Amino acid sequence: MENKLGRTLPADVMEQLQLTPFQTTEIGNPEVQRTAPQVRLSTGNDKVTNDLKKIIQENVHDGMTISFHHHFRNGDFVFNQVMKIIMELGIKNLTLAPSSLTGVMNDVAIEAIKQGTVTAITTSGMRGSLGDAVSHGLLAKPVIFRSHGGRARAIENGEIKIDVAFLGVPNADRCGNANGSYGDEAFGSLGYALMDANYANKVVLLTDNLVDYPNTPASIKQTQVDYVVEVDQVGDPDKIGSGATRFTKDPKNLKIANLVSDVITNSSYFKDGFSFQTGSGGAALAVTRYLRAAMEASNIHASFGLGGITNPMVELLEAGLIDKLMDVQDFDKVAAQSMKNNLNQQEIDASWYADPDNKAAMVDQLDVSILSALEIDTDFNVNVLTGADGIIRGAVGGHQDAATAKLTIICTPLVRGRIPSVVKSANTVVTPGSSVDVLVTERGIAVNPQRPDLLAQLQNVPGLQIYSIDELAELAQQIVGTEAPLEFTDRTVALVEYRDGSIIDAIKQRKD
Amino acid sequence: MENKLGRTLPADVMEQLQLTPFQTTEIGNPEVQRTAPQVRLSTGNDKVTNDLKKIIQENVHDGMTISFHHHFRNGDFVFNQVMKIIMELGIKNLTLAPSSLTGVMNDVAIEAIKQGTVTAITTSGMRGSLGDAVSHGLLAKPVIFRSHGGRARAIENGEIKIDVAFLGVPNADRCGNANGSYGDEAFGSLGYALMDANYANKVVLLTDNLVDYPNTPASIKQTQVDYVVEVDQVGDPDKIGSGATRFTKDPKNLKIANLVSDVITNSSYFKDGFSFQTGSGGAALAVTRYLRAAMEASNIHASFGLGGITNPMVELLEAGLIDKLMDVQDFDKVAAQSMKNNLNQQEIDASWYADPDNKAAMVDQLDVSILSALEIDTDFNVNVLTGADGIIRGAVGGHQDAATAKLTIICTPLVRGRIPSVVKSANTVVTPGSSVDVLVTERGIAVNPQRPDLLAQLQNVPGLQIYSIDELAELAQQIVGTEAPLEFTDRTVALVEYRDGSIIDAIKQRKD
């Protein structure tokens, strides 16, 4: 079975899971029935406990779906604490549905799979030993990779039905009012976790910082929380986010960032009130600073910046060059602090950010989106999930979601070491080429042929070398030579959903 | 059929509507399945229109349930605008499910009932000509009166299924992000309307103030809104709320307020970190100022104030005597302004405020609640809905909800003119006596016999005259004499729900 992008999908698995192949980036205007949780009533007076084991014993049962958020990133102490107790209790056959999996969770996740505690996973991403193990067939059922917006969609329409959500928070009161802004392990926006809080049948908060009732602002509300579990520590502050996202000094990244800025400022979208999302990649971050100079020079300000928020975006907000930051996640401590202090930095949940099954997601209002890539193929399809070795080592994140912008720019070095980024065929397609407008590499740019209007805007810009994407792929190949194609078994280890729930690609088990 | 309070309920209507009689104030810990709306997907780019008629024509059909909020109070221009078009279009058989009905809506509501446009109503209250007409049998089906928490419950579990909500807002952006804080008709908290925004299948915002995208803070979010209709004016700023709630000068009210303060400050609940809700009645408001003096003298501060927020509560917040105000509604402009400017005044929705089918409503955390009454009977049951003439002229409001406080104080003059407030049997019971602890009148107080502990705390307080409630009822009767009992037909014109959805009383058609 092939989808519209010519990606081969496993017919048997597709049928068994009642999945449909990717067709189009157009969502249309159908009506969708939302789902809702089952709520156990409480006056709120018996929520606090320090007996995590008892809570797990009473609420987690074989075959359930449990979830976590990844806002603590590599400083997370919650996932491992909870999963170890679940394994100890001999609970089996769980589906793991976190917003994403970070490296610090890998050892315990692998052990849980080996023990049969976890038999299914849906996540935004995985890396390191877990990605490697799954790529080599550790998990019997295929992992379902979903974008942040796709996860919100699946939770809101019941495709992901979370029985118990374990949500670590840097503060909570005795009834469960909590936010991500205060406490030693503050990380800022609770954007992804707000979905779990709103839709899981049971919500268990874990915190090391029980504060006076009522705790405000309450991003997570007492109406959503069943238990408040006091633990020794929910995370390692030093590993949650860097102090301030650092400005890249890599000349290649600076070159790319400069070119991206040129593309934006010479496009028709660079006008007063424009909006944009940058990722957290080295080049993407540098773009913000180049943009700033151009905005100041042209007396142009932005209506909003979206997505994972970083220090450079906060600087633009504070300089009055952006009106609002719409904040689903904070990548550094400066951004997290700013959300607490600046009323114009609004916390948004993953649905508001990017759920396509929605009365309007923020991503659909984006003018400019700057995204990275592991690979981009000559149809502009982008891979951010598997490496050149076919091993899972990335995350869908908000990539598909933000690619709905009017001007979606993929920025990547042409080659990384001996590995080409621009290729004839990507190992995995995460974001369809039809939603990508421009590729920027340090050697030059390529404009998607479906955008002759953009090409016209950019073709006489001094210093902007425009190639066809085939030319850039050939250039990359000239530099690194041709590798033998990777070998895979027939077994599907993961399926990649497009944001609308259709299947955009399958990842096969590595043969080695 | 009689319920636990001995109130006669119409067996046929009860059976037909599958309703259960009131049993107990205890809610317990059952599990409840929440409901969710049907969502029509949109990118958000086609929401703005000035053609209200077209929107109504396309979305409102015979037999549907439509809703409004009452945050504009008597300054509301939204209800009448919408209802007139609905009548003009000949739409019939609608259920009207507003958060409440204010006097300014009466004429149009009566006309809509007469035309068969509206054939069923659920509301918190009604007054004036509409209350009179319904009490005399205008509407074929009985009105269902619900508390603010009860309405939230019924919306969340699907008993009220809103097809289209028409929500007036003092500002909105083109995608539907809106709040109650900015604009000429700002009223502060959108607490009641947030339920409609979250659960209605279709949400139509009406505004006269289209602001730049994205509008923050977004109390109502673009993810919830289908249409943004531009109209000339959504309300009359002068009639939305007074500039600042005025301090009563009525000596009787001041006496009552002073006694209420004495009851509170001499009870075991008056300690550092206590919480309270006052209503907006003359005496209730004055209590806040007496309390302030006592709090300052005793060096006691409150953890939170709840409910409809008023100027005197804001003064306590600003003086550091209250940590947080939890704000479902603002009764005056000072309170509305304060929510915008003070991070410790948190907007809450009606579910968080008071839905009993919840993982914890704020009202269940209240220490002290000060409530008014039209009548209180010798079992401490309270009527806030019908007058001494048996005519509907009030609202359930948050009365039942806040009566869950540890110390619930009903304050009322013993008589009003020739009308007794303390009676053997109330015309209508809204709040069960078992949730009421103390009655305070200007002549003295009565303590519910189920609270000997409270009696012990209060009985030696200088100046606090303690009577049995029967003695107070007799005293009232001595003052005003005995009236002939009212005459009613057998027809039920309204049912009063307790906050859990059981029926606490029925209101019969007046015979005259």
Side-chain angles (χ1 to χ4, degrees):
Chain A
M1 181 193 274
E2 279 192 3
N3 66 15
K4 273 278 161 64
L5 302 178
R7 308 302 297 189
T8 305
L9 306 177
D12 51 344
V13 180
M14 295 287 289
E15 197 186 317
Q16 193 193 330
L17 300 177
Q18 293 183 289
L19 298 169
T20 55
F22 169 80
Q23 294 272 352
T24 168
T25 58
E26 298 297 319
I27 307 290
N29 304 105
E31 295 212 348
V32 173
Q33 177 61 51
R34 287 263 165 101
T35 188
Q38 197 162 13
V39 171
R40 182 170 177 278
L41 310 193
S42 164
T43 55
N45 293 323
D46 301 306
K47 293 188 182 183
V48 178
T49 175
N50 55 16
D51 195 344
L52 179 57
K53 188 172 176 178
K54 181 160 171 277
I55 298 302
I56 292 173
Q57 210 156 12
E58 289 176 358
N59 293 281
V60 181
H61 307 298
D62 290 3
M64 279 188 166
T65 296
I66 63 171
S67 76
F68 301 86
H69 69 68
H70 72 292
H71 288 289
F72 289 119
R73 283 176 290 272
N74 270 314
D76 188 282
F77 285 178
V78 171
F79 179 87
N80 290 346
Q81 273 184 84
V82 171
M83 289 307 299
K84 280 178 185 169
I85 296 174
I86 288 178
M87 284 192 275
E88 188 188 316
L89 290 169
I91 299 165
K92 301 292 175 192
N93 204 23
L94 298 179
T95 295
L96 204 58
S99 54
S100 200
L101 291 165
T102 60
V104 72
M105 307 169 184
N106 282 355
D107 290 349
V108 172
I110 289 171
E111 186 55 34
I113 297 170
K114 284 184 177 163
Q115 290 196 14
T117 302
V118 168
T119 51
I121 297 178
T122 177
T123 178
S124 165
M126 53 176 66
R127 291 177 175 87
S129 57
L130 179 61
D132 192 77
V134 167
S135 294
H136 285 91
L138 179 66
L139 194 65
K141 292 183 201 165
V143 170
I144 311 286
F145 284 105
R146 290 178 160 109
S147 71
H148 293 318
R151 179 179 192 258
R153 181 195 54 72
I155 290 173
E156 295 200 283
N157 73 12
E159 284 172 36
I160 299 176
K161 184 75 236 154
I162 301 167
D163 292 295
V164 188
F166 294 95
L167 305 177
V169 281
N171 61 73
D173 67 30
R174 59 181 168 78
C175 285
N177 297 299
N179 62 61
S181 292
Y182 296 83
D184 291 342
E185 302 95 348
F187 47 74
S189 174
L190 267 159
Y192 304 129
L194 295 180
M195 301 310 300
D196 308 59
N198 207 20
Y199 284 91
N201 283 343
K202 293 273 164 57
V203 174
V204 181
L205 295 191
L206 290 88
T207 193
D208 50 25
N209 182 23
L210 202 64
V211 300
D212 284 347
Y213 182 87
N215 185 23
T216 65
S219 302
I220 293 174
K221 296 167 183 61
Q222 62 181 58
T223 54
Q224 305 172 316
V225 174
D226 293 272
Y227 306 99
V228 179
V229 182
E230 283 194 280
V231 296
D232 287 342
Q233 218 179 332
V234 289
D236 178 348
D238 294 336
K239 294 182 180 165
I240 291 171
S242 52
T245 315
R246 252 172 271 155
F247 196 48
T248 181
K249 283 175 183 159
D250 176 67
K252 206 190 267 185
N253 275 338
L254 289 174
K255 178 82 191 292
I256 293 170
N258 206 350
L259 292 177
V260 169
S261 178
D262 283 348
V263 168
I264 295 170
T265 54
N266 288 285
S267 79
S268 57
Y269 303 106
F270 189 63
K271 56 187 178 196
D272 205 45
F274 84 115
S275 59
F276 67 97
Q277 168 167 338
T278 64
S280 62
L285 284 167
V287 170
T288 313
R289 305 217 178 177
Y290 286 109
L291 258 183
R292 176 175 185 154
M295 290 169 76
E296 285 172 334
S298 314
N299 201 20
I300 280 177
H301 89 295
S303 56
F304 69 92
L306 178 64
I309 304 300
T310 56
N311 185 22
M313 292 176 85
V314 169
E315 287 173 6
L316 289 181
L317 180 72
E318 289 174 354
L321 291 167
I322 305 185
D323 289 340
K324 305 281 169 81
L325 291 181
M326 306 302 276
D327 185 347
V328 72
Q329 177 178 10
D330 293 286
F331 283 126
D332 57 52
K333 287 197 168 60
V334 173
Q337 276 282 344
S338 171
M339 193 189 83
K340 183 170 70 179
N341 299 324
N342 195 325
L343 280 176
N344 290 320
Q345 186 169 340
Q346 163 102 35
E347 183 177 44
I348 62 174
D349 65 26
S351 173
W352 189 0
Y353 171 52
D355 177 4
D357 282 10
N358 213 324
K359 291 180 181 178
M362 292 284 325
V363 289
D364 290 317
Q365 299 302 319
L366 270 177
D367 289 318
V368 179
S369 169
I370 302 146
L371 300 168
S372 61
L374 291 172
E375 295 179 316
I376 180 167
D377 74 17
T378 48
D379 291 325
F380 287 85
N381 298 311
V382 181
N383 171 20
V384 285
L385 202 46
T386 57
D389 54 1
I391 301 292
I392 298 163
R393 57 175 77 254
V396 183
H399 203 280
Q400 300 169 339
D401 306 317
T404 54
K406 296 188 186 76
L407 171 58
T408 297
I409 301 168
I410 303 294
C411 56
T412 176
L414 190 67
V415 299
R416 289 184 179 92
R418 299 297 304 163
I419 298 167
S421 303
V422 188
V423 294
K424 283 241 179 310
S425 176
N427 278 321
T428 307
V429 172
V430 169
T431 298
S434 59
S435 61
V436 171
D437 301 296
V438 183
L439 163 66
V440 174
T441 73
E442 76 281 14
R443 298 293 291 264
I445 74 165
V447 178
N448 192 323
Q450 77 190 4
R451 295 299 306 273
D453 58 325
L454 252 184
L455 184 63
Q457 290 163 24
L458 300 175
Q459 64 193 355
N460 295 318
V461 175
L464 217 51
Q465 296 275 0
I466 303 185
Y467 298 90
S468 75
I469 195 161
D470 295 283
E471 287 169 333
L472 287 177
E474 276 159 38
L475 196 54
Q477 202 185 322
Q478 281 166 25
I479 295 168
V480 298
T482 309
E483 290 273 334
L486 296 172
E487 286 190 70
F488 294 93
T489 75
D490 282 342
R491 185 162 153 228
T492 302
V493 296
L495 293 166
V496 185
E497 277 194 8
Y498 185 60
R499 62 198 289 257
D500 68 353
S502 65
I503 301 302
I504 194 160
D505 210 347
I507 300 174
K508 295 288 184 185
Q509 183 177 336
R510 271 285 271 143
K511 189 188 280 182
D512 63 4
Chain B
M1 180 192 276
E2 279 192 1
N3 66 16
K4 272 279 161 64
L5 302 178
R7 309 302 297 190
T8 305
L9 306 178
D12 51 343
V13 180
M14 294 287 289
E15 197 187 315
Q16 193 192 329
L17 300 177
Q18 293 182 290
L19 298 169
T20 55
F22 169 79
Q23 294 273 352
T24 170
T25 58
E26 298 297 319
I27 307 290
N29 304 105
E31 296 213 347
V32 172
Q33 178 59 52
R34 287 263 165 101
T35 187
Q38 197 162 14
V39 171
R40 182 170 176 279
L41 310 192
S42 164
T43 56
N45 293 323
D46 301 306
K47 293 188 182 184
V48 178
T49 175
N50 56 16
D51 195 344
L52 179 56
K53 189 173 175 177
K54 180 160 171 278
I55 297 302
I56 291 173
Q57 210 156 13
E58 290 176 356
N59 292 281
V60 181
H61 308 298
D62 290 3
M64 279 187 166
T65 296
I66 64 171
S67 75
F68 301 86
H69 69 68
H70 72 291
H71 287 289
F72 289 119
R73 284 176 289 273
N74 271 313
D76 187 282
F77 285 178
V78 170
F79 179 87
N80 290 345
Q81 274 184 80
V82 171
M83 289 307 298
K84 281 177 184 169
I85 296 174
I86 288 178
M87 285 192 275
E88 188 188 316
L89 289 170
I91 299 165
K92 302 291 176 195
N93 204 24
L94 298 180
T95 295
L96 204 59
S99 55
S100 200
L101 290 165
T102 60
V104 72
M105 307 169 185
N106 282 355
D107 289 350
V108 171
I110 289 171
E111 185 56 33
I113 297 170
K114 284 184 178 164
Q115 290 195 13
T117 302
V118 169
T119 51
I121 298 178
T122 177
T123 178
S124 165
M126 52 176 66
R127 291 178 175 86
S129 56
L130 179 62
D132 193 77
V134 167
S135 294
H136 285 90
L138 178 67
L139 194 65
K141 292 182 201 165
V143 169
I144 311 285
F145 284 105
R146 289 177 162 109
S147 72
H148 293 318
R151 179 179 192 258
R153 180 195 54 73
I155 290 173
E156 296 200 282
N157 72 13
E159 284 172 36
I160 299 176
K161 185 73 237 158
I162 302 167
D163 293 295
V164 188
F166 294 95
L167 305 177
V169 281
N171 61 73
D173 67 30
R174 60 182 167 76
C175 285
N177 297 298
N179 61 61
S181 292
Y182 296 85
D184 291 342
E185 301 96 348
F187 47 73
S189 174
L190 267 159
Y192 304 129
L194 296 180
M195 302 310 300
D196 309 59
N198 207 19
Y199 284 90
N201 284 341
K202 293 273 164 60
V203 174
V204 182
L205 294 191
L206 290 88
T207 193
D208 50 25
N209 183 23
L210 201 65
V211 300
D212 283 347
Y213 181 88
N215 185 24
T216 65
S219 302
I220 293 175
K221 296 166 183 61
Q222 62 180 59
T223 53
Q224 305 172 315
V225 174
D226 293 275
Y227 306 100
V228 179
V229 182
E230 283 194 280
V231 296
D232 287 343
Q233 217 178 334
V234 289
D236 178 348
D238 294 336
K239 294 181 180 164
I240 292 171
S242 53
T245 315
R246 252 173 271 155
F247 196 47
T248 182
K249 283 174 182 158
D250 176 66
K252 207 191 268 185
N253 275 338
L254 289 175
K255 178 81 191 294
I256 292 170
N258 206 350
L259 292 177
V260 170
S261 178
D262 283 348
V263 168
I264 296 170
T265 54
N266 288 285
S267 79
S268 57
Y269 303 107
F270 189 61
K271 56 187 178 196
D272 204 46
F274 83 115
S275 59
F276 67 98
Q277 167 167 340
T278 64
S280 61
L285 283 168
V287 170
T288 312
R289 305 218 177 176
Y290 286 108
L291 258 184
R292 175 175 186 154
M295 290 168 76
E296 285 171 333
S298 314
N299 201 19
I300 280 177
H301 88 295
S303 56
F304 69 92
L306 179 63
I309 305 299
T310 56
N311 185 23
M313 292 176 86
V314 169
E315 286 173 7
L316 289 182
L317 180 72
E318 289 174 354
L321 291 166
I322 304 185
D323 289 340
K324 304 282 168 82
L325 291 181
M326 306 302 276
D327 185 348
V328 72
Q329 177 178 12
D330 293 286
F331 283 126
D332 57 51
K333 287 196 168 61
V334 173
Q337 276 282 345
S338 172
M339 193 189 83
K340 183 169 70 179
N341 299 324
N342 195 325
L343 280 175
N344 290 320
Q345 186 170 339
Q346 163 102 36
E347 184 177 45
I348 62 174
D349 64 27
S351 173
W352 190 0
Y353 171 51
D355 177 3
D357 282 10
N358 213 323
K359 291 180 181 177
M362 290 288 321
V363 289
D364 290 318
Q365 299 302 317
L366 270 176
D367 289 317
V368 179
S369 168
I370 302 146
L371 300 168
S372 61
L374 290 172
E375 296 179 316
I376 179 167
D377 74 18
T378 48
D379 291 326
F380 288 84
N381 298 312
V382 181
N383 170 20
V384 284
L385 202 47
T386 56
D389 54 0
I391 302 291
I392 298 163
R393 57 176 76 255
V396 182
H399 203 281
Q400 300 169 339
D401 306 316
T404 54
K406 297 188 186 74
L407 172 58
T408 297
I409 302 167
I410 303 295
C411 57
T412 176
L414 190 66
V415 300
R416 290 184 177 93
R418 299 299 302 163
I419 297 167
S421 303
V422 188
V423 294
K424 284 242 179 308
S425 176
N427 277 320
T428 307
V429 172
V430 169
T431 298
S434 60
S435 61
V436 171
D437 301 295
V438 183
L439 163 66
V440 174
T441 73
E442 75 282 15
R443 297 293 290 264
I445 74 164
V447 178
N448 192 324
Q450 79 190 3
R451 295 299 306 271
D453 57 324
L454 253 184
L455 184 63
Q457 290 163 23
L458 300 175
Q459 62 193 356
N460 295 317
V461 176
L464 216 52
Q465 296 274 359
I466 303 185
Y467 298 90
S468 74
I469 195 160
D470 295 281
E471 287 169 333
L472 288 176
E474 276 159 36
L475 196 56
Q477 202 185 324
Q478 282 166 25
I479 296 168
V480 299
T482 309
E483 291 271 336
L486 296 172
E487 286 191 69
F488 295 93
T489 74
D490 282 342
R491 185 164 153 226
T492 302
V493 297
L495 294 167
V496 186
E497 276 193 8
Y498 185 58
R499 61 198 292 257
D500 68 353
S502 66
I503 301 301
I504 194 160
D505 210 347
I507 301 173
K508 295 287 184 184
Q509 184 177 336
R510 271 286 270 142
K511 188 187 281 181
D512 63 3

